[in-house]
């Protein structure tokens, strides 16, 4: 019998490999560069705050938080992303810590941070309850939890729905990432452990792609989850062509004069005492 710990280890290894594919740094910098700064502002990050960015990737939120004067730890499961983040932080003159860590089992003390952030990151941890428990645990009483997550109804949520028929089945117990963009799901995850919970839908304007095909080809080359799905059907040219068509059709419906608007849920909450 396969032990659950071995299954979990294999799932995490696949997640690391997926996010190391392509160039998430390019997506963060070229497609959604302002999203991290928006989250930092919503969280009220300021000088001297002890901040943890969970599933930080290459630092889309962590670097602006450090530049705002906070003492920041950027944690992520994928070491390749952390290495890129270190280089980007050095270029921008930001000083912060970079640590490999699992969002479902963070290696930090209870209440260690004043503000706990995640910018379209923690939503990809497969077990949402475990990840939410960790976000709450490491935030001090009275501290702030702030999250930005793609909504199920928004463009990225619809993209994941379009890719699902082509993707391998998810591991047992894994939940769809865009559920973190559903208000009721987030309320259930955080529960009465937080106060002053504010959930607001917003959009990030994307003007990087002139055509639907340009979007598709960019994500096909740069975005780890999309690359992984294409690899899963690579030996079947008909399914590759069908996926090509589905992603281009989706982008075409959302593209208006070279502009797309991607919806996300912005969450802020204060940890209860």
């Amino acid at each position: 019998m396969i032990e659950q710990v071995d299954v979990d280890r294999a799932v995490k290894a696949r997640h690391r490999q997926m996010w190391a594919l392509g160039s998430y740094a390019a997506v963060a910098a070229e497609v959604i560069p302002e999203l991290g700064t928006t989250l930092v502002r919503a969280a009220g990050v300021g000088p001297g705050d002890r901040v943890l960015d969970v599933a930080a990737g290459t630092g889309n939120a962590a670097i602006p938080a450090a530049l705002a004067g906070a003492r920041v730890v950027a944690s992520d499961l994928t070491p390749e992303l952390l290495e890129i983040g270190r280089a980007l932080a050095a270029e921008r003159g930001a000083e912060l810590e970079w640590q490999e860590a699992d969002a479902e089992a963070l290696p930090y003390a209870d209440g260690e941070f004043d503000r706990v952030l995640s910018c379209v990151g923690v939503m990809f941890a497969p077990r949402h309850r475990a990840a939410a428990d960790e976000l709450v645990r490491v935030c001090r009483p009275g501290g702030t939890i702030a999250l930005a997550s793609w909504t199920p109804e928004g463009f990225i949520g619809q993209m994941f729905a379009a890719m699902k028929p082509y993707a391998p089945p998810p591991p047992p117990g894994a939940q769809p990432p865009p559920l973190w963009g559903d208000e009721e799901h987030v309320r259930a995850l955080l529960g009465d452990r937080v106060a002053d919970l504010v959930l607001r839908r917003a959009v990030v304007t994307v003007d990087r792609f002139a055509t639907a095909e340009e979007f598709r080809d960019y994500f096909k080359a740069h975005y780890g989850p999309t690359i992984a799905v294409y690899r899963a059907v690579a030996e079947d040219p008909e399914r590759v062509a069908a996926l090509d068509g589905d992603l281009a059709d989706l982008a075409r419906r959302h593209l208006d004069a070279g502009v797309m608007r991607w919806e996300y849920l912005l969450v802020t909450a204060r940890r209860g005492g």
Side-chain angles (χ1 to χ4, degrees), residues 11-273:
V11 169
K12 302 300 181 183
R14 287 198 295 273
H15 270 253
R16 287 189 189 95
Q17 292 164 2
M18 178 181 72
W19 288 106
L21 296 172
S23 176
Y24 185 72
V27 176
E30 299 173 3
V31 183
I32 54 169
E34 73 273 21
L35 192 56
T37 301
T38 298
L39 182 64
V40 168
R41 189 180 304 116
V45 173
D49 284 339
R50 180 71 168 156
V51 174
L52 175 65
D53 186 3
V54 179
T58 54
N60 206 19
I63 292 174
L67 292 173
R71 296 173 295 143
V72 180
V73 176
S75 68
D76 198 275
L77 191 65
T78 304
E80 291 88 346
L81 297 183
L82 296 174
E83 284 303 312
I84 296 169
R86 286 188 184 95
L88 292 173
E91 289 175 7
R92 296 182 61 181
E95 295 185 4
L96 61 157
E97 299 177 55
W98 300 84
Q99 296 181 354
E100 186 175 342
D102 181 353
E104 296 177 0
L106 294 169
Y108 308 113
D110 295 357
E112 185 171 343
F113 297 93
D114 301 308
R115 305 186 191 276
V116 179
L117 319 178
S118 190
C119 183
V120 294
V122 75
M123 63 181 290
F124 292 100
R127 292 190 296 264
H128 295 186
R129 171 64 65 184
D133 289 349
E134 286 295 270
L135 294 176
V136 174
R137 181 185 65 80
V138 301
C139 185
R140 67 165 174 80
T144 299
I145 297 168
L147 313 169
S149 305
W150 303 120
T151 65
E153 301 84 2
F155 177 75
I156 296 296
Q158 290 185 37
M159 184 187 76
F160 276 94
M163 295 191 302
K164 184 177 179 180
Y166 303 92
Q175 294 175 282
L179 274 180
W180 274 96
D182 177 83
E183 290 90 340
E184 292 307 312
H185 185 67
V186 174
R187 285 192 181 97
L189 288 175
L190 298 178
D192 59 6
R193 300 176 295 180
V194 302
D196 302 328
L197 177 62
V198 178
L199 305 106
R200 179 173 64 86
R201 293 195 176 212
V203 296
V204 58
T205 300
V206 176
D207 58 3
R208 173 66 174 72
F209 309 108
T211 67
E213 290 75 18
E214 184 181 355
F215 161 80
R216 179 200 62 207
D217 293 344
Y218 184 94
F219 264 55
K220 191 174 176 178
H222 292 85
Y223 191 59
T226 306
I227 297 169
V229 172
Y230 269 100
R231 288 190 176 186
V233 298
E235 301 303 318
D236 188 335
E238 290 186 0
R239 284 175 65 75
V240 170
L243 179 55
D244 275 346
D246 287 349
L247 290 181
D249 288 345
L250 174 66
R252 197 170 293 112
R253 294 196 298 271
H254 286 261
L255 192 61
D256 182 13
V259 175
M260 306 173 85
R261 292 172 176 83
W262 296 359
E263 186 182 67
Y264 65 95
L265 183 68
L266 182 62
V267 177
T268 57
R270 178 173 55 82
R271 184 189 164 182

